[in-house]
């Protein structure tokens, strides 16, 4: 269930902040417009490409990627709410070239996090920041217990 969307007077270019029209449709349009790698209702979607030699699993990799996902969401005017989830792992092999050498092997890791457009966020103190994820090692419950949720950084 979406929180009530206030109709705030936000200055900007026409259509820059569709969430401020006070509708769920406007909110979803703004999130989709600011999500670089696909659409998922109410969620910011980001795909990170890693080399095949890098381990595609492990807490450190996913914690670092979660920090990057939340940071990019913030840079795009979206405030993260809740945990960052790995939703898809897709391995790729470039075809062999004429010499019979494979040019590259890589893996795409797609992450999603629930977001609220900053233009209508009435509870910015609840924003999950990169600092929160980094301090908690990706464990949001530990961050909540430590009082870090909403800590700027």
């Amino acid at each position: 269930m979406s929180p009530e969307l206030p109709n705030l007077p936000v200055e900007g270019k026409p259509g820059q902040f569709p969430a401020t029209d006070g509708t769920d449709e406007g909110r979803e349009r703004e999130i989709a417009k600011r999500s670089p790698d696909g659409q998922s209702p109410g969620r910011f979607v980001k795909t990170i490409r890693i080399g095949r030699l890098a381990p595609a699993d492990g807490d450190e990799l996913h914690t670092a990627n979660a920090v990057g996902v939340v940071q990019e969401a913030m840079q795009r005017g979206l405030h993260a709410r809740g945990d960052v989830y790995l939703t898809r792992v897709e391995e790729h092999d470039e075809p062999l070239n004429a010499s019979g050498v494979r040019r590259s092997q890589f893996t795409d890791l797609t992450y999603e996090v629930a977001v609220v457009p900053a233009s209508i966020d009435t509870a910015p103190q609840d924003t999950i920041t990169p600092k929160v994820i980094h301090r908690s090692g990706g464990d949001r419950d530990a961050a909540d217990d430590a009082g870090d949720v909403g800590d700027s950084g």
Side-chain angles (χ1 to χ4, degrees), residues 12-82:
K13 299 179 207 166
Q16 183 176 3
F17 302 108
T20 60
D21 70 6
T23 66
D24 285 340
E25 180 183 300
R27 175 184 172 166
E28 292 305 320
R29 251 191 354 257
E30 186 163 334
I31 292 170
K33 183 172 94 170
R34 296 171 185 270
S35 194
D37 296 319
Q39 294 182 4
S40 182
R43 302 180 79 74
F44 178 77
V45 180
K46 176 66 180 165
T47 300
I48 298 173
R49 180 166 285 175
I50 62 172
R52 185 66 57 82
L53 298 178
D57 58 0
D59 292 340
E60 289 178 8
L61 173 73
H62 294 301
T63 298
N65 287 344
V67 166
V69 168
V70 168
Q71 180 66 41
E72 185 165 344
M74 289 178 70
Q75 290 172 344
R76 292 174 176 266
L78 301 170
H79 290 175
R81 295 289 198 273

Side-chain angles (χ1 to χ4, degrees), residues 61-131:
L61 173 73
H62 294 301
T63 298
N65 287 344
V67 166
V69 168
V70 168
Q71 180 66 41
E72 185 165 344
M74 289 178 70
Q75 290 172 344
R76 292 174 176 266
L78 301 170
H79 290 175
R81 295 289 198 273
D83 295 323
V84 178
Y85 293 99
L86 176 65
T87 58
R88 186 175 58 209
V89 177
E90 191 174 352
E91 294 186 355
H92 300 277
D93 289 323
E94 292 284 326
L96 298 176
N97 65 16
S99 303
V101 176
R102 192 170 311 281
R103 289 179 284 168
S104 66
Q105 297 175 319
F106 54 90
T107 302
D108 286 338
L109 305 174
T110 301
Y111 293 87
E112 294 184 19
V113 63
V115 293
V116 174
S119 61
I120 62 165
D121 191 355
T122 58
Q125 69 276 9
D126 294 337
T127 299
I128 302 301
T129 65
K131 185 177 183 179

